[in-house]
Amino acid sequence: MELAVGAILDGTVKSITAFGAFVTLPEGKTGLVHISEVANTYVSDIHQFLTVGQQVRVRVISAETGGRISLSIKQAQERPQRKERPARPAATERPQRTEPQTFEEKLKQFMADSDNKIAGVRQYERKTRSRRR
């Protein structure tokens, strides 16, 4: 039987290593579930999630001609619901400028901000120079 990529199968955990678990599939084939494909959370110790002999549902990620079969437990499960982010305030709720700025006003504001930043850098350089001596 040729395994189709994307197929969901039931298998049994045959052995567990530091990098993943080997799962026996129907017809005696064996595939590897990498540690990153065990759960939707970070897995530092695979033994917290799997035991030898445990029945698991897996999805076939890839099946190479040499017999290597890559499996995933987390892709075979339903995805957990994402937490809803709080909605950003609508444009009408944000403070609006009463009048648009002209180019000259924008340039004047930019120059003032730039001068303030340069003054801060120069002040910092003076302090560090005196410490170096």
Side-chain angles (χ1 to χ4, degrees):
M1 171 185 162
E2 193 66 31
L3 293 176
V5 175
I8 296 179
L9 306 167
D10 290 322
T12 306
V13 177
K14 180 179 178 182
S15 64
I16 298 175
T17 64
F19 56 85
F22 289 95
V23 176
T24 303
L25 300 172
E27 297 186 16
K29 295 188 177 186
T30 302
L32 173 68
V33 177
H34 189 266
I35 192 168
S36 65
E37 293 292 331
V38 171
N40 287 316
T41 60
Y42 176 74
V43 178
S44 60
D45 182 16
I46 196 167
H47 292 91
Q48 294 175 344
F49 294 88
L50 298 174
T51 57
V52 174
Q54 179 180 353
Q55 294 290 322
V56 292
R57 181 162 286 217
V58 294
R59 172 172 277 185
V60 179
I61 298 174
S62 69
E64 297 177 11
T65 56
R68 293 179 71 163
I69 303 169
S70 297
L71 305 170
S72 172
I73 295 174
K74 73 179 181 181
Q75 289 182 24
Q77 300 169 347
E78 291 185 21
R79 291 187 176 210
Q81 293 292 328
R82 296 180 94 183
K83 294 180 182 177
E84 290 290 327
R85 291 185 181 180
R88 293 180 65 192
T92 57
E93 297 174 12
R94 295 183 195 146
Q96 300 290 323
R97 292 188 178 144
T98 56
E99 56 188 56
Q101 288 183 322
T102 64
F103 175 76
E104 288 78 17
E105 291 171 340
K106 288 180 181 180
L107 181 61
K108 186 177 181 181
Q109 182 65 43
F110 173 78
M111 294 300 290
D113 291 344
S114 179
D115 289 341
N116 287 338
K117 288 178 184 177
I118 290 173
V121 169
R122 288 184 179 149
Q123 184 178 7
Y124 176 77
E125 286 177 347
R126 279 190 227 119
K127 287 181 182 178
T128 57
R129 272 193 227 140
S130 63
R131 291 181 190 162
R132 292 183 194 163
R133 292 183 188 173

